[in-house]
């Protein structure tokens, strides 16, 4: 009888057990947040605490939008994140394709400097960025966040897509140009469809970073009507006095849910896009 028919080896079973433990430890806080969001306050503060809600309620979600401008924060984050993601992906795709296909003097150093810019912590450039935004008259304007998010996330998109484009064959582009396509036409019709998994993976990670960003939004957006979700959630803690944990957990669920749903729908593109972009 072969080893394959005897079942998985003890080492493989040990790997599965370790993986299951890691998944449980990583997901348990999220499960606790979801269950707390649908518990009444009396059950949340009860001792001993309960994991599963004995009484299911969605009043915390209703109270969240009643006592705060959370709907405004949600709309601001959606607009800013989608705009920054679109700008980053478009510019990053064009720049990455140029770096992978053209050999102009100094072009390589541009790519190296962009990687260095990505490694700089945002807090180091917060003060000069704030001064620049004020001088341009964009203080307390969501347009400033779109520009800043695009500038800070563009190096990541550039290097991820550049590695991906390096792995794509050039012969198909050349064949398309022989058949009458321009360089840009071959890029749109041949290169972009091949690079779609990498582009989608880059867009998802870019959206996640813009959606959860706190530093620039909390510093540059002082008017409540321009706040995004992360500083809005911190403001909500002050408004509730940190006594309504159900409302806070309901807000946390709403913040996390779009990203979780997005990752669930595009997970196959993430595995292919990030994996190929890392090794090519």
């Amino acid at each position: 009888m072969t080893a394959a028919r005897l079942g998985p080896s003890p080492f493989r079973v040990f790997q599965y057990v370790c993986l299951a433990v890691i998944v449980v430890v990583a997901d348990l806080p999220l499960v606790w947040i979801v269950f707390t969001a649908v518990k009444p306050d009396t059950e949340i503060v009860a001792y001993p605490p309960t994991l599963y809600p004995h009484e299911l309620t969605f009043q915390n979600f209703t109270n969240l939008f009643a006592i705060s401008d959370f709907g405004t924060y949600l709309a601001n984050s959606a607009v800013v994140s989608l705009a920054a993601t679109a700008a980053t992906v478009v510019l990053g795709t064009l720049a990455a394709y140029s770096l992978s296909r053209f050999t102009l003097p100094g072009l390589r150093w541009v790519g190296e400097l962009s990687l260095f810019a990505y490694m700089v912590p945002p807090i180091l450039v917060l003060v000069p960025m704030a001064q620049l935004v004020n001088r341009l008259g964009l203080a307390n304007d969501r347009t400033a966040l779109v520009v800043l998010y695009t500038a800070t996330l563009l190096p990541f998109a550039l290097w991820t897509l550049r590695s991906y484009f390096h792995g794509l064959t050039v012969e198909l582009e050349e064949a398309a140009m022989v058949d009458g396509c321009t360089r840009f036409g071959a890029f749109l019709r041949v290169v972009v469809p091949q690079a779609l998994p990498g582009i989608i993976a880059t867009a998802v990670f870019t959206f996640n970073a813009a959606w959860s960003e706190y530093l620039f939004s909390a510093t540059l957006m002082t008017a409540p009507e321009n706040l995004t979700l992360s500083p809005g959630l911190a403001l909500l803690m002050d408004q509730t006095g940190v006594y309504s944990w159900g409302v806070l957990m309901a807000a946390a669920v709403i913040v996390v849910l779009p990203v979780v749903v997005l990752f669930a729908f595009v997970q196959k593109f993430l595995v292919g896009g990030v994996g190929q972009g890392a090794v090519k």
Side-chain angles (χ1 to χ4, degrees):
M1 184 177 293
T2 63
R5 294 180 180 179
L6 293 177
S9 64
F11 180 71
R12 181 58 61 88
V13 173
F14 175 75
Q15 287 181 319
Y16 288 151
V17 172
C18 291
L19 181 60
V21 171
I22 293 174
V23 171
V24 170
V25 172
D27 292 344
L28 186 58
L30 182 60
V31 173
W32 186 272
I33 289 173
V34 174
F35 286 161
T36 304
V38 294
K39 289 180 182 179
D41 287 336
T42 54
E43 187 175 346
I44 293 174
V45 299
Y47 185 84
T50 59
L51 176 60
Y52 297 99
H54 294 165
E55 179 183 350
L56 192 66
T57 178
F58 293 96
Q59 187 63 38
N60 293 321
F61 293 90
T62 304
N63 294 339
L64 171 64
F65 290 94
I67 68 173
S68 69
D69 297 325
F70 204 78
T72 302
Y73 308 152
L74 187 64
N76 289 339
S77 283
V79 171
V80 171
S81 300
L82 291 174
T85 300
T88 301
V89 169
V90 171
L91 295 177
T93 301
L94 295 174
Y97 177 77
S98 300
L99 288 175
S100 64
R101 292 294 187 268
F102 302 119
T103 56
L104 299 176
L107 194 59
R108 178 182 177 183
W109 291 104
V110 173
E112 301 291 342
L113 289 175
S114 66
L115 180 61
F116 174 77
Y118 182 68
M119 296 171 62
V120 176
I123 195 170
L124 294 181
V125 297
L126 178 61
V127 173
M129 286 293 185
Q131 293 176 345
L132 182 61
V133 168
N134 287 328
R135 291 179 181 178
L136 293 176
L138 294 177
N140 214 25
D141 190 338
R142 291 177 300 178
T143 305
L145 292 181
V146 175
V147 174
L148 288 175
Y149 292 171
T150 303
T152 55
L153 295 172
L154 188 57
F156 165 77
L158 175 61
W159 275 91
T160 302
L161 293 172
R162 181 189 181 189
S163 301
Y164 201 90
F165 285 137
H166 272 308
L168 299 180
T169 179
V170 184
E171 285 75 12
L172 291 177
E173 300 173 50
E174 295 175 346
M177 288 186 285
V178 169
D179 288 340
C181 278
T182 62
R183 166 72 72 172
F184 189 70
F187 168 74
L188 290 180
R189 293 177 174 86
V190 178
V191 178
V192 170
Q194 294 183 82
L196 193 59
I199 294 174
I200 293 177
T202 303
V204 170
F205 281 102
T206 301
F207 177 83
N208 181 43
W211 180 264
S212 58
E213 199 278 331
Y214 172 82
L215 186 62
F216 288 123
S217 179
T219 303
L220 301 177
M221 301 294 109
T222 56
E225 64 270 14
N226 291 327
L227 288 178
T228 55
L229 282 175
S230 294
L233 186 59
L235 182 62
L236 180 64
M237 295 179 66
D238 296 333
Q239 293 174 343
T240 60
V242 200
Y243 64 83
S244 182
W245 290 105
V247 173
L248 290 177
M249 294 303 102
V253 169
I254 294 176
V255 171
V256 174
L257 186 60
V259 178
V260 173
V261 173
L262 184 61
F263 271 83
F265 275 103
V266 301
Q267 59 180 338
K268 63 178 181 179
F269 295 105
L270 296 180
V271 175
V274 176
Q276 295 182 40
V279 301
K280 286 186 176 182

